[in-house]
Amino acid sequence: MQLKIMPKKKRLSAGRVPLILFLCQTISALEVPLDLVQPPTITHQSPKDYIIDPRENIVIQCEAKGKPPPSFSWTRNGTHFDIDKDPLVTMKPDSGTLIINIMSEGKAETYEGVYQCTARNERGAAISNNIVIRPSRSPLWTKEKLEPITLQNGQPLVLPCRPPIGLPPAIIFWMDNSFQRLPQSERVSQGLNGDLYFSNVLPEDTREDYICYARFNHTQTIQQKQPISLKVISVDELNDTIAANLSDTEFYGAKSSRERPPTFLTPEGNASHKEELRGNVLSLECIAEGLPTPLIYWIKEDGTLPTNRTVYRNFQKTLQIIQVSEADSGNYQCIAKNALGAIHHTISVTVKAAPYWIMAPQNLVLSPGEDGTLICRANGNPKPRISWLTNGVPIEIAPDDPSRRIDGDTIIFSNVQERSSAVYQCNASNEYGYLLANAFVNVLAEPPRILTSANTLYQVIANRPAFLDCAFFGSPLPTIEWFKGAKGSALHEDIYVFHENGTLEIPVAQKDNTGTYTCVARNKLGTAKNEVHVEVKDPTRIIEQPEYAVVQRGSTVSFECRVKHDHTLIATVTWLKDNGELPNDERFTVAKDHLVVTDVRDDDGGTYTCVANTTLDDVSASAVLSVVDVPNPPFDLELTSQLDTSVQLSWTPGDDNNSPITKFIIEYEDAMHEAGLWHHQAEVSGTQTTAQLKLSPYVNYSFRVMAENSIGRSLPSEASEQYQTKAAEPDKNPTAVEGLGSEPDNLVITWKPLNGFESNGPGLQYKVSWRQKDGDDEWTSVVVANVSKYIVSGTPTFVPYLIKVQALNVVGFAPEPAVVMGHSGEDLPMVAPGNVRVNVVNSTLAEVHWDPVPLKSIRGHLQGYRIYYWKAQSSSQRNRRHIEKKILTFQGSKTHGMLPGLEPFSHYTLNVRVVNGKGEGPASPDRAFSTPEGVPSAPSSLKIVNPTLDSLTLEWDPPSHPNGLLTEYTLKYQPINSTHELGPLIDLKIPANKTRWTLKNLNFSTRYKFYFYAQTSVGPGSQITEEAVTTVDEVQAVNPRISNLTAAAAETSANISWKYEGPEHVNFYVEYGVAGTMASRQVDIATQGWFIGLMCAVALLILILLIVCFIRRNKGGKYPVKEKEDAHADPEIQPMKEDDGTFGEYSDAEDHKPLKKGSRTPSDRTVKKEDSDDSLVDYGEGVNGQFNEDGSFIGQYSGKKEKEPAEGNESSEAPSPVNAMNSFV
């Protein structure tokens, strides 16, 4: 599947047909490479309204690109500007930027005007905006004489600024002679016009240096107005001033300074109008005078103020709306209000708009014969007029082009040719401004090219977006296809986003996005492709973050920061304190995964941040350290205002240890009743140091206070002096009063007695009263000692009683107690539930219904109904005495219930009983029911026995829970090959009475998997599985046979030969011995004369050899065999045994162990007893062998294994020549 993209952004959906987006129009992301022919494009120009600094050279920028490189020309005030005629004007090389040198001579005012740049080549001409050049101005204030102002306290005042008109407008602010800004408030503030407004003046406003400053940022100059003098006086001082200085003082009225309602200082009247351009900041201002100072409020009539764009400034006297739009037009009302009244002013706002783009024309690249459009759409208020130019000339007077047609704001091109290339300008203008856009039409025939660098490597973090660039160009506009993988597998997931510039976006990169991606661009003229590579890295994570810590001074704190990152990236961990570097202090230790601060101080508190960085990502985690401690205990406790029921306790707080005290806890001790035990008395705010404490009668009080902050509670203070209150009658009665019978004929009344603190005096007793609820009897009462129970005997069964218990002491009775209801004792229910019905739902669930018993027969509180049910015993179980019964209880007055967990295919019996607080009533008649069959459980066991080449026998035990009558067994099996793949499944039915089954015709040496289960008429049960293997294929053994054995003895050697028949690659052993030491095991051979002679000769030769070796060895020399062995370093020579005096044996058996004592051959290669003891066996394949003169054996070895080092060390003792016997290999 191929995915083709074109400029329009699309998201790929899985399963769709190949996505190909064709677009023969321009796209904003399409850039024509500069090595191709193209019309000019303005790339940089000065702003439309260009205010210059007259002290610097004038630089009017105009940069453009094109192929061939464009030439530049300028107009000034609509006519050609010949720069060659002005020595002060130069143009930068390969640029249209003008530099006017006014630093040496000339004036900036000379070059004021409207400039326009034209960039031209053979394909067309692009023009810049009209650039209006104006030098900045920072004029001085006109000189004026400012008279001192004398004003009565409370009167309004406006100090005018009226700054000179500069370019750009000045920034106004008021300061004094010391260049300190004058304080402003709701009463005194600066208006938008720069004037300083006083809602009312106060004596502290008197000063002689109210100075208005104008700052001209463009020229970095500040101009200042002459200082204004203000004196605020009272009425008495005013009369003196009038009399003495009336002739030379400007006087601002003589009204009284009494309070007055608001009046607007600006704007004037009840209504005004404001016009603003779209996109600007709308500023509305209302400043009012009055006494007291009025406050300003703003509303919009028939609407609400935009929340996110509304800003209040200047103490709410100025309302600003950011990025104002036509929707903000309407009536705004400001309201000035003080205690004496309110006034309002309505400002009608109209939002006009200079032209703004809806769709600006874009460059259009077409191939010969294609069609296209240039669209120029703009809006404004009033609606702008659209006009077209081509190559800087109004299109109406430009040369005619048959391929274009103008339709209002659109130029339509048809069947373009190379001569159709040109630059078109769209001008949208109204009375508030204009927009000018250049867009070229470039007719090219160009095969695709990829502009992105080849083999770019993109390293991205997992779960973040990845953007793979594929900048392209071609004409006709190419289609873009993306492939993944070296084999060109097409992208077909729905996780990709394709952008109009060819970029492939992976919104959430994952590890499987790693690989090579190929971008292919195609048009009818050719194909281009580019490969990029993506590596998706694991994100850096802080797996153990620092945690908030609260520590005490002098302790140690540790912040953990364990980082996990991609193993191919290098992570660095940096610690910050309060977003700055850690203090340069040895108490701060930074280890790999943590920061430790020892001996913590108060100034160590703050925010500690762990920052983990790699080249691709960074993460951080912060924790706050608070250095605090529990407060010190309060001290200086004092009791004052001591009354019978209250006392005032005061104390002095201890040090809070840098954590504010949140509360004080007051505790008391009752030395009379509970000495040594402290109880909670009260809590007060951490700002209080006294508390009024409510006291109880007959208590000997002591108090102590503890302070608590966010860290913990302080130690208790020292106890206060003791204070004992007088006795009084109890103010409360016992709680938890209950009446319950323990027997059917009694009523047990219980209560929670008062403690000594609550008794309020000595002699605490209780008055217990009761009577039947539904009778007319009077209360029966009895006074008992300080106990918690009283039993009333002789009551009827389960009758409601009214009960009350009242406390009293030697002073008097407690208030009248509350009445509670109880019941006399319960008895067992008398009636069993009737009409018991059973509905069997399925094989394991039954529903039971019954009729309720009469309420009077319950004789107690109804607890519910209880079902007893049990499974009927089989004949083999009936001898058991115990029947396992199960019980289910259903609370309340329910008349039905479900019995879950029944066994299928079983007989059950049940009965139902009613239950009250005393116990169960009689059982209902037994009701029997049966459950239907179910599916069986799995067979109890499955074993595979007697495996052979082609058969396996299965044995099993029936299911422990058949849950019905078994109908059959099902056996399924299938072979498993060496790669653990399962073969075809074979299904076999087996009669239900079988417990053994043999499978035949199986493959030898093959593993099989078995699935086995039983069935009833309901269906199959759970299966049991097993595996087994048939035995390997048997091979008929071929016994080796040696014949034609001959031996030719020489003086020091013997030549032995034989003929061998049998399997290849076997080992041969040659046995020899001294005559008389080896018993014959074959009578027929041993009695042969030739054999006896041969053996005697061989034995004699060996004996002579051994004697010679023994003599030479004792002399320190080496016998020939030893020399040969040393020369060849035979690793299999076994040492002589020290225990029996025999030589070790030579063998090439795989275990390389010496023969057992008395054995002549290895256990797996022994000569049978009927063979001769004197037979000679060796390695080989029917080849001849011989003994050399020195006694060593020379033979040809075929297929013999590489020898390994022998075990043990050589013996230093000489062997006995009589019993010596050795085997050579």
Side-chain angles (χ1 to χ4, degrees), residues 954-967:
L954 284 72
E955 293 182 354
W956 65 87
D957 292 325
S960 58
H961 297 89
N963 295 336
L965 298 177
L966 298 182
T967 58

Side-chain angles (χ1 to χ4, degrees), residues 9 14 79 88 302 478 620 633 813 823 978 1037 1117 1138:
K9 181 176 178 179
T79 61
L88 300 182
D302 301 327
S620 64
F813 285 86
H823 284 82
S978 59
E1138 296 179 357

Side-chain angles (χ1 to χ4, degrees), residues 245-273:
N245 303 306
L246 184 59
S247 59
D248 56 358
T249 301
E250 183 180 355
F251 175 62
Y252 275 62
K255 295 183 180 178
S256 171
S257 60
R258 63 178 180 273
E259 294 183 345
R260 59 188 181 279
T263 303
F264 283 113
L265 297 175
T266 184
E268 299 177 352
N270 296 326
S272 59
H273 181 264

Side-chain angles (χ1 to χ4, degrees), residues 899-915:
L899 299 183
L902 303 178
E903 295 185 15
F905 202 58
S906 301
H907 300 289
Y908 282 89
T909 304
L910 63 78
N911 58 51
V912 185
R913 313 177 191 197
V914 66
V915 182

Side-chain angles (χ1 to χ4, degrees), residues 402-675:
S403 66
R404 73 169 179 246
R405 178 171 58 88
I406 301 176
D407 185 8
D409 58 7
T410 303
I411 300 180
I412 303 171
F413 296 92
S414 304
N415 191 26
V416 297
Q417 301 301 321
E418 186 175 347
R419 64 178 180 275
S420 302
S421 296
V423 182
Y424 290 84
Q425 290 83 30
C426 172
N427 185 296
S429 60
N430 65 11
E431 61 187 274
Y432 297 104
Y434 74 95
L435 293 172
L436 177 69
N438 290 276
F440 63 65
V441 175
N442 197 13
V443 181
L444 292 174
E446 188 70 21
R449 61 171 69 181
I450 304 294
L451 306 179
T452 300
S453 300
N455 294 313
T456 301
L457 175 61
Y458 294 92
Q459 293 183 327
V460 297
I461 295 297
N463 300 318
R464 293 188 181 181
F467 295 89
L468 313 186
D469 294 332
C470 183
F472 63 93
F473 180 78
S475 183
L477 193 68
T479 60
I480 300 298
E481 302 171 300
W482 278 95
F483 299 87
K484 181 183 178 184
K487 297 182 179 179
S489 59
L491 303 180
H492 58 276
E493 300 295 333
D494 58 355
I495 62 173
Y496 300 100
V497 176
F498 298 90
H499 292 266
E500 60 183 13
N501 61 354
T503 296
L504 172 66
E505 177 185 350
I506 306 173
V508 183
Q510 300 296 332
K511 283 289 188 179
D512 56 4
N513 294 127
T514 298
T516 299
Y517 292 77
T518 303
C519 166
V520 179
R522 291 188 178 93
N523 68 9
K524 64 183 181 181
L525 300 178
T527 301
K529 67 179 181 178
N530 185 40
E531 287 187 353
V532 297
H533 310 282
V534 175
E535 291 181 358
V536 180
K537 307 292 186 180
D538 291 326
T540 304
R541 295 184 295 115
I542 298 179
I543 56 178
E544 287 189 21
Q545 299 186 359
E547 297 181 351
Y548 171 76
V550 178
V551 298
Q552 296 182 356
R553 289 189 304 270
S555 61
T556 298
V557 65
S558 176
F559 292 107
E560 298 292 327
C561 184
R562 194 176 301 276
V563 177
K564 184 177 182 181
H565 61 92
D566 192 280
H567 70 279
T568 63
L569 301 177
I570 298 176
T572 59
V573 177
T574 305
W575 285 94
L576 305 175
K577 180 181 184 295
D578 298 327
N579 295 323
E581 294 184 357
L582 290 177
N584 185 16
D585 192 325
E586 61 183 9
R587 297 181 301 108
F588 290 80
T589 304
V590 178
K592 178 181 178 182
D593 297 323
H594 58 274
L595 165 69
V596 178
V597 185
T598 59
D599 189 19
V600 174
R601 305 171 185 169
D602 290 338
D603 57 359
D604 292 334
T607 301
Y608 290 82
T609 303
C610 163
V611 182
N613 290 282
T614 67
T615 55
L616 298 181
D617 66 342
D618 63 85
V619 291
S620 64
S622 298
V624 175
L625 172 63
S626 296
V627 184
V628 288
D629 206 348
V630 298
N632 293 343
F635 54 94
D636 287 347
L637 274 66
E638 184 180 3
L639 295 177
T640 58
S641 303
Q642 299 176 354
L643 303 175
D644 290 342
T645 59
S646 67
V647 69
Q648 179 170 296
L649 174 67
S650 61
W651 61 90
T652 301
D655 192 342
D656 65 4
N657 291 327
N658 297 325
S659 180
I661 297 174
T662 56
K663 62 182 177 180
F664 290 100
I665 299 96
I666 304 170
E667 294 181 339
Y668 71 90
E669 176 195 26
D670 181 3
M672 183 183 302
H673 302 101
E674 296 176 322

Side-chain angles (χ1 to χ4, degrees), residues 1026-1040:
E1026 190 57 81
E1027 292 186 12
V1029 182
T1030 55
T1031 59
V1032 297
D1033 197 2
E1034 297 177 352
V1035 180
Q1036 185 66 31
V1038 179
N1039 293 323

Side-chain angles (χ1 to χ4, degrees), residues 770-811:
W770 68 91
R771 70 178 179 87
Q772 287 191 26
K773 178 178 180 294
D774 299 326
D776 297 331
D777 298 343
E778 295 293 328
W779 288 93
T780 301
S781 300
V782 61
V783 176
V784 298
N786 187 11
V787 294
S788 61
K789 180 172 71 174
Y790 182 77
I791 300 176
V792 180
S793 302
T795 62
T797 301
F798 197 64
V799 172
Y801 276 84
L802 298 179
I803 304 165
K804 57 184 179 179
V805 179
Q806 187 177 23
L808 68 153
N809 61 17
V810 295
V811 179

